[in-house]
Amino acid sequence: MRKPVIICTDDELTILDSLKIELKKALGDDYLIETAIGGEETLELVSDLIKDEYEIILVICDYIMPDIKGDELLKQIHSICPRTLKIMLTGQADIAGVSNAIKHAKLYRYIAKPWQKEDLKLTVQEAVRSYYQDKQLAEQNITLQRLNEELETLVEQRTAALRQSEEKFAKAFRSTPHAITITRLHDGHHIELNDSFCRMTGYTNDEIIGRTAVDLCLWVNLEERDRLFQLLQKNGAVRDYEFNFRTKSGAIRTALLSAEIIELDGETCVLSVSQDISDRKQAEVELKQAKEQADRANRAKSQFMANMSHELRTPLNAILGFTQLLGRDSSLTPEQREQIEIVTHSGEHLLGLINNVLQMSKIEVGQVTFARNTFDLYYVLNSLEEMFQLPAKKKGLQLIFESDRNLPQYVKTDERKLRQVLINLLGNAIKFTAEGGVTLRVSGTSRDRQQTIYFEVEDTGSGIASDEMEDLFKPFVQTETGRKSLEGTGLGLAISRQFVQLMGGDITVNSTVGKGSLFKFDIAVSLADATQMQVVSTHRRVIGLEPGQADYRILVVDDAKESRLLLVKLLVSVGFQVREAENGQLALEQWQAFEPHLIWMDMRMPVMDGYEATKRIKAHLKGQATVIIALTASAFDEEQALVLSTGCNDFVAKPFREQVIFEKMLHYLGVRYIYEEPALSQLVFTPAPQADLSPDALAVMPPHWVNQLYQAASEIDNEQIFELLSQIPTAQTRLSDAIAHWVNNFRCDRIIDLIEEFRKF
């Protein structure tokens, strides 16, 4: 038996794949889910399915598509399959388009994008139920029409054949599961009914025959009865009339009725077919309540995450920011620098854990966005190989990266999410592998400008028990091995699966305890050219302002004293004129008096928040010339659109990096800076030294410096290494150049080998 078909239409392949996954979760395997890109492909698919006699029960269609808009497409489908239900998805609500779909295509429901998973699930389930209920009612109407035709035949035939036809009708009349009655039109008395009507009302045949529905108190609302008979007398028939009725026991139920006026034995009668739909109505109420409850929960969770993000990131902004300020102090001793680095690394680790928790929460409320960009896939894979080469070597593991020679170099997808998935899988593989090795295999298949990239991460580690596989991708759940390691939050794999699905693929795992695991996933990408690559800028530390410039006035607005103090100290340290305000009201006063060139505006503050303060400043002609850059600790990327809509020129998330602050001011004010020299951190792929260093070249540096260099190389902390190189005497350029060359060519292992040889002397 062929499965019923649900068709999903969109012009974005990733949305279609995501929609297909959600429908599978909502409906299981009882339905065939077909996808089509655009309207023309959809119409061809509908034609083929009808030709092959498939039953199309539902079409879910995007509104904005390049070839045929959603309302027009649904109109054409309705002309072909009028009984098929239609749902329209769109992120750009168009009242005219929705009205057109309702009028000409009998649109069942409209859902805004991005959809809420629970809303989509409930809507589709209800649509499927509604389709089969409508189908059942249609069958009832067909039955009613057939019965009516038989009745007309009985009236016309006054011969011996009349009795035989009456017996056939009586058999069908009695055996149908739907409640059927025949009443006289002029007085409403029941003259015929079947057992199903008795079961529905609770009365016996003898109690009903010869009496009216009013006599039996079946009508809860007599106005509904009067309206029904007015429609019958006007149109001769009524379809799908919903009303409440009272059973013999007094219970109030809901029925759906179709009726038609007929002539029977010279009398004008009403033939009625009805169905008790109380359970369906109750299900609709429960679904509506569940949807409202889910919406409330999502809104509450989003608000909670916004608050938590602000509360967690604000103090972290101060911790990481002040360590950056302290690191600028040239009078620090090596021991103090080491302690600052410990604080910085601990803060970065804590930020990573917080980001994972917030990322998982954003996924659960449907707030994760797909940020497509063009990048060099070869470079990403090479950088990951260099990143994990040292950790693998320290554990005595073999790290192997294998790629298809036909793998495209420049692709377009979400680079950040792909990198995070690979880091999660490779990091786990190395962490839980004691001997042997870890292998990453990458291959691809292409079709036109679309490409599917396949990734496999295989290890020879401890493996995963079969009873733990079911919970492997659930958030905050760790395997037994993971719990013993006392590391992580149990979110890495859960986030990875969500990211992979967002990129148009899925992730699977095969594992044998004691032998290792194999994780596989695929993503959909678009091919790109090298000319589409974005140029990555390099950074140098700002230490002052070039002379001969305007005296730039900067206003810092933040209710958190530590955040305000951090930014003020940073800007004053390089020569800006800076004032501060702790809320939006004071910011307005300072703006009037100080006339700043640029305002760093926190968005969440008491008295008056940054949104309102920005609107009031930008409402003035003078305020149009003032650059306002928003500072926010929100966990949601969507906040960027909100702050920009209030009039802010740009957006910086907390905790921020000092180079981001200076780059924004360079962009908007044209500030000219004095940079720290020598700018060793900007050396990229420098020529190799003439000869390798000998271990005794390190003898010119103190032991604690050598220890810090070893620690930084072990952690592949390039920034810390270049900071240490700035402490090498100028006479020892050969030493600094050689180490800088190794770092820029991803050979931190050479630094470690050199130091270990030096320590043997």
Side-chain angles (χ1 to χ4, degrees), residues 688-705:
Q690 295 298 319
D692 286 339
L693 286 176
S694 61
D696 58 2
L698 294 171
V700 298
M701 302 303 296
H704 67 266
W705 184 93

Side-chain angles (χ1 to χ4, degrees), residues 387-429:
M387 177 188 299
F388 287 103
Q389 197 66 252
L390 186 60
K393 183 178 179 181
K394 290 177 67 175
K395 294 188 69 174
L397 302 176
Q398 186 178 17
L399 181 64
I400 301 173
F401 275 48
E402 299 176 354
S403 60
D404 186 348
R405 68 173 57 185
N406 296 321
L407 192 68
Q409 181 172 2
Y410 302 108
V411 298
K412 193 171 186 179
T413 185
D414 194 321
E415 178 188 6
R416 184 175 63 84
K417 290 182 175 59
L418 173 60
R419 186 182 289 270
Q420 183 170 344
V421 171
L422 289 172
I423 288 174
N424 287 345
L425 295 180
L426 290 168
N428 283 348

Side-chain angles (χ1 to χ4, degrees), residues 556-722:
V556 176
V557 186
D558 201 314
D559 64 311
K561 181 179 179 181
E562 60 275 14
S563 296
R564 200 167 65 246
L565 179 62
L566 165 63
L567 197 49
V568 169
K569 282 184 173 292
L570 176 64
L571 298 176
V572 169
S573 70
V574 297
F576 288 105
Q577 293 186 37
V578 185
R579 288 190 184 180
E580 56 184 288
E582 62 185 34
N583 59 57
Q585 184 62 51
L586 294 177
L588 289 174
E589 297 174 6
Q590 289 281 17
W591 172 70
Q592 291 282 2
F594 187 45
E595 296 187 357
H597 296 90
L598 184 145
I599 301 175
W600 289 102
M601 181 75 75
D602 186 31
M603 304 312 290
R604 297 183 55 159
M605 297 180 291
V607 183
M608 181 187 294
D609 61 25
Y611 300 100
E612 182 62 27
T614 299
K615 289 178 181 178
R616 295 194 183 187
I617 291 173
K618 290 296 185 178
H620 294 267
L621 182 61
K622 182 177 66 173
Q624 296 295 320
T626 305
V627 178
I628 302 179
I629 302 179
L631 288 171
T632 178
S634 171
F636 299 102
D637 297 334
E638 292 75 11
E639 178 128 353
Q640 181 173 0
L642 177 60
V643 299
L644 293 178
S645 68
T646 64
C648 290
N649 298 85
D650 211 332
F651 172 98
V652 171
K654 298 178 182 178
F656 52 76
R657 300 290 183 220
E658 65 177 46
Q659 64 263 27
V660 175
I661 298 297
F662 290 131
E663 284 175 358
K664 293 295 184 184
M665 299 175 75
L666 170 65
H667 175 74
Y668 287 102
L669 300 181
V671 181
R672 301 190 305 276
Y673 297 117
I674 300 172
Y675 296 95
E676 184 179 49
E677 296 293 348
L680 293 175
S681 61
Q682 294 190 54
L683 298 175
V684 179
F685 300 113
T686 55
Q690 295 298 319
D692 286 339
L693 286 176
S694 61
D696 58 2
L698 294 171
V700 298
M701 302 303 296
H704 67 266
W705 184 93
V706 176
N707 292 337
Q708 290 179 41
L709 180 62
Y710 186 86
Q711 179 67 26
S714 300
E715 296 175 356
I716 318 179
D717 189 343
N718 294 349
E719 184 176 347
Q720 173 64 6
I721 294 174
F722 282 119

